[in-house]
Amino acid sequence: MALLEIENLVVEFQTSAGMFRAVDGVSLKVDEREVLAIVGESGSGKSVSMLAVMGLLPWTAKVTADKMAFNGRDLLRMSDSERRKIVGKDIAMIFQEPVASLNPCYTVGFQIEEVLRFHLGLGRSQRRARAIELLTAVGIPNPAERLNSFPHQMSGGQCQRVMIAMAIACNPKLLIADEPTTALDVTIQKQILDLLVKLQAEHGMGMIMITHNMGVVAETADRVVVQYKGRKMEEADVLSLFENPRSNYTKALMAALPDNATGDRLPTIADYFKDGTEIAGAAVS
Amino acid sequence: MSVVLEARNIVRDYHVAGSLFSKGRTVHAVKGVSFTVDKGKTLAIVGESGCGKSTLARILTLIDPATSGDLFIQGKKVDIAKGDLTKDLRREVQIVFQNPYGSLNPRQKIGDVLGAPLVIHGNVPADERRDRAMAMLKKVGLGEEHYNRYPHMFSGGQRQRIAIARALMLNPSLLVLDEPVSALDLSVQAQVLNLLADLQDEFNLTYVFISHDLSVVRYIADEVMVMYFGEAVEYGTRDEVFSDPKHDYTKTLFAATPRADPASIKARLARKRAA
């Protein structure tokens, strides 16, 4: 049984111009100990589909799916209070902007301990000890002192480490990382990716890596889902995706990498769809 | 070949004021950087956040003065602290900023955005301003129908085209591009990079291209300078820097850049199975 199984997920937003379909019939599944990457450009619905799993979308969103099961339990049909017990504990998420996703008014220690208090009900000294342990695990020097720091006193990379510490605080079964390194420098990106992959292997977590960076996909994923305009274009294991992309959209994406440039011009998506073929019709799975 | 831009030992310090409880201190943002850029060439400046590359961009664009060091534009020495900044000089150097969402005034129509430089620099009549703006819109791959629209009606890639068009309205010889594609998607990034290459050929432009993305730099640059904590630790032609990096930081940077080729994926998967 897969850890997370989604079938035919549709997310629509109510706008003044009628319903807007952000995710259009996406199906995917993640097994335990597996790293799935979801790739796509902005507006491809990659973040929205994962926010739907977390139940973090605003009320204007209408989420429907034939199936959305975590560990065999249907997420869509359970009560809100039941769902809150799973979200943040068994499914955890890391967001793109580390500095913006921490509360500037509280110390990082308080914010990590809040997770432990809410989900595990640990006592004060146990929480403190566990928080120190977590900061050590994510590689922050002087963890005991750093617990009293506020987010603005830390660098972007360190804030992202704190976010990771919060996410793995309850030993989640599934970790969703939404563009975890987009706001960071390349050298820091490398450190954070290495840390995520190490923690994923150590804890045997399933991981979903949402990204638009093909390099990040190549360095982390086992399997890849390519999304475009809310639809799934292609699903493949990481090696065959890079060696032999099947959908036209993936081919266009690969060709647009400056690394693969041949000659003076970079091919663009438009070059691949010059003949006016409907891009969605080119989907393969 | 003529040298468009020359910097000799540029230094920029920022003084952080002290308070009742702390002493003031000096931050050395740029510590003696020298380089030259020939006409029609591209110099790429690479480095992580806080290494002084944007400070350097502001000095080159004549927004901030350097604390010390000499800056030559078209062979003429320029020191804006001494009031050397004339309108003619200002036309020579233009900049495109990183975030196309922040660099356009939301209340200004695109036509006015493009016309504004012509209003400031000389008496260009309204109908000529309009014609030149229309022509420039077509040059950057937009259309006449975009003339009367507002910035919020455009996507990120289109906005960056508008920002480039605005910078080119005065026919500058030097264009400073401060991370012009880092906020854009991969496919849009390719379009904007192609546009920049076309414009460089057409107008014989000189670029200073600031970026932290090595794959983009390798694609677009003729010469590369790597900055680290305000110093230029590596400076040479693209092939020299990429094939034989000398400084440890450059090597770290190359090692940290994710590789997207099947061979390195195979190696990683093999390591994973072995673990």
Side-chain angles (χ1 to χ4, degrees):
Chain A
M1 184 185 59
L3 188 60
L4 178 75
E5 212 171 343
I6 300 173
E7 263 171 39
N8 196 18
L9 173 71
V10 175
V11 183
E12 289 178 311
F13 288 95
Q14 213 160 9
T15 65
S16 54
M19 294 303 266
F20 174 76
R21 194 170 272 215
V23 180
D24 191 4
V26 167
S27 305
L28 55 89
K29 59 182 190 176
V30 192
D31 286 321
E32 285 174 24
R33 305 180 170 275
E34 185 185 40
V35 183
L36 174 77
I38 305 181
V39 200
E41 41 199 294
S42 45
S44 64
K46 54 193 196 303
S47 293
V48 170
S49 50
M50 285 306 114
L51 288 172
V53 171
M54 295 289 282
L56 293 176
L57 288 170
W59 61 272
T60 47
K62 187 165 146 267
V63 181
T64 53
D66 294 348
K67 188 176 185 186
M68 186 147 89
F70 174 72
N71 228 354
R73 298 179 64 195
D74 193 338
L75 288 170
L76 287 178
R77 276 168 202 84
M78 65 175 59
S79 71
D80 284 353
S81 64
E82 260 182 293
R83 193 166 179 175
R84 272 200 296 275
K85 281 182 198 150
I86 294 183
V87 168
K89 183 166 181 280
D90 292 330
I91 313 177
M93 191 156 175
I94 302 166
F95 299 93
Q96 178 170 358
E97 276 287 337
V99 186
S101 33
L102 289 167
N103 189 332
C105 303
Y106 295 98
T107 62
V108 299
F110 179 89
Q111 296 182 57
I112 297 172
E113 288 175 29
E114 196 179 16
V115 185
L116 298 168
R117 194 181 67 225
F118 184 83
H119 285 296
L120 303 179
L122 296 182
R124 184 180 297 245
S125 58
Q126 281 173 302
R127 290 205 300 265
R128 198 79 188 167
R130 174 76 177 136
I132 292 175
E133 196 182 304
L134 284 166
L135 284 192
T136 316
V138 296
I140 289 185
N142 302 327
E145 287 164 38
R146 284 317 234 167
L147 283 180
N148 298 319
S149 301
F150 287 89
H152 74 268
Q153 295 169 319
M154 307 180 107
S155 67
Q158 280 185 318
C159 284
Q160 195 58 292
R161 285 171 195 270
V162 171
M163 287 297 294
I164 296 171
M166 285 168 71
I168 61 164
C170 307
N171 291 323
K173 295 190 177 72
L174 177 66
L175 184 64
I176 303 174
D178 185 0
E179 307 249 4
T181 57
T182 307
L184 306 174
D185 281 322
V186 243
T187 44
I188 313 294
Q189 162 171 292
K190 169 98 177 142
Q191 295 168 11
I192 296 287
L193 290 180
D194 287 349
L195 173 68
L196 281 172
V197 168
K198 180 177 139 247
L199 291 171
Q200 183 266 335
E202 275 174 14
H203 295 267
M205 290 184 289
M207 183 153 90
I208 299 180
M209 179 72 82
I210 303 174
T211 182
H212 67 265
N213 185 333
M214 282 301 191
V216 171
V217 175
E219 297 265 322
T220 57
D222 297 321
R223 215 150 46 77
V224 187
V225 166
V226 182
Q227 261 180 240
Y228 180 69
K229 291 195 174 166
R231 303 173 93 136
K232 188 160 85 174
M233 288 286 123
E234 177 162 0
E235 182 174 351
D237 66 89
V238 61
L239 195 56
S240 37
L241 186 87
F242 279 88
E243 275 186 332
N244 184 19
R246 286 171 299 157
S247 84
N248 278 347
Y249 177 68
T250 320
K251 283 178 194 161
L253 214 52
M254 295 287 179
L257 284 172
D259 283 341
N260 298 347
T262 48
D264 286 346
R265 298 190 67 79
L266 289 167
T268 60
I269 301 285
D271 295 338
Y272 275 74
F273 299 97
K274 256 186 198 143
D275 48 351
T277 45
E278 176 58 33
I279 195 162
V284 289
S285 58
Chain B
M1 197 176 287
S2 64
V3 173
V4 171
L5 176 70
E6 182 173 1
R8 279 188 209 151
N9 228 354
I10 297 278
V11 174
R12 173 75 211 195
D13 298 337
Y14 286 106
H15 297 283
V16 182
S19 71
L20 187 56
F21 304 109
S22 62
K23 258 175 109 174
R25 64 199 168 92
T26 305
V27 178
H28 305 287
V30 178
K31 305 171 188 166
V33 170
S34 309
F35 56 85
T36 57
V37 195
D38 289 334
K39 187 158 186 60
K41 296 286 177 191
T42 302
L43 169 75
I45 301 178
V46 192
E48 59 192 72
S49 48
C51 74
K53 56 190 195 303
S54 288
T55 303
L56 188 61
R58 293 174 69 87
I59 293 169
L60 299 182
T61 328
L62 314 174
I63 297 172
D64 284 340
T67 310
S68 73
D70 301 323
L71 185 67
F72 298 86
I73 291 173
Q74 307 272 37
K76 272 209 310 256
K77 188 171 165 174
V78 181
D79 187 354
I80 62 169
K82 293 210 183 81
D84 282 357
L85 184 59
T86 58
K87 273 194 173 174
D88 282 343
L89 198 53
R90 176 101 280 170
R91 306 167 79 114
E92 292 292 319
V93 190
Q94 293 287 324
I95 186 166
V96 175
F97 292 102
Q98 173 171 16
N99 184 351
Y101 291 86
S103 59
L104 295 173
N105 183 346
R107 291 171 176 245
Q108 212 175 16
K109 286 182 181 170
I110 300 314
D112 298 330
V113 172
L114 298 185
L118 298 177
V119 174
I120 298 164
H121 292 266
N123 296 317
V124 183
D127 52 342
E128 195 192 330
R129 287 205 302 269
R130 190 182 161 82
D131 291 345
R132 283 170 67 175
M134 290 288 193
M136 189 54 77
L137 275 177
K138 282 194 202 126
K139 281 251 155 49
V140 299
L142 296 169
E144 291 191 352
E145 69 275 18
H146 297 116
Y147 186 85
N148 275 322
R149 295 196 188 159
Y150 287 97
H152 76 263
M153 301 158 107
F154 293 91
S155 67
Q158 285 175 319
R159 284 175 199 223
Q160 203 57 296
R161 285 171 193 264
I162 294 165
I164 293 169
R166 172 175 62 183
L168 293 179
M169 282 308 281
L170 294 169
N171 297 323
S173 54
L174 174 66
L175 197 56
V176 177
L177 302 144
D178 190 357
E179 308 239 13
V181 293
S182 63
L184 306 176
D185 276 321
L186 195 55
S187 58
V188 182
Q189 170 181 304
Q191 294 167 8
V192 173
L193 289 177
N194 284 338
L195 171 67
L196 287 172
D198 291 346
L199 293 170
Q200 184 165 42
D201 288 347
E202 187 175 346
F203 298 108
N204 205 6
L205 287 166
T206 308
Y207 290 156
V208 174
F209 191 97
I210 295 175
S211 179
H212 65 265
D213 187 338
L214 285 169
S215 59
V216 172
V217 168
R218 173 179 267 179
Y219 173 71
I220 201 164
D222 296 303
E223 292 191 314
V224 179
M225 183 166 87
V226 181
M227 285 184 72
Y228 186 58
F229 284 112
E231 277 170 81
V233 295
E234 189 111 23
Y235 176 45
T237 65
R238 173 184 60 178
D239 295 337
E240 273 168 27
V241 172
F242 276 89
S243 61
D244 182 24
K246 302 255 175 352
H247 193 269
D248 281 347
Y249 175 70
T250 318
K251 289 177 193 161
T252 316
L253 206 58
F254 285 141
T257 305
R259 234 158 263 140
D261 58 291
S264 48
I265 296 172
K266 270 183 200 151
R268 175 177 68 84
L269 293 175
R271 274 201 308 278
K272 192 173 174 178
R273 268 194 296 275

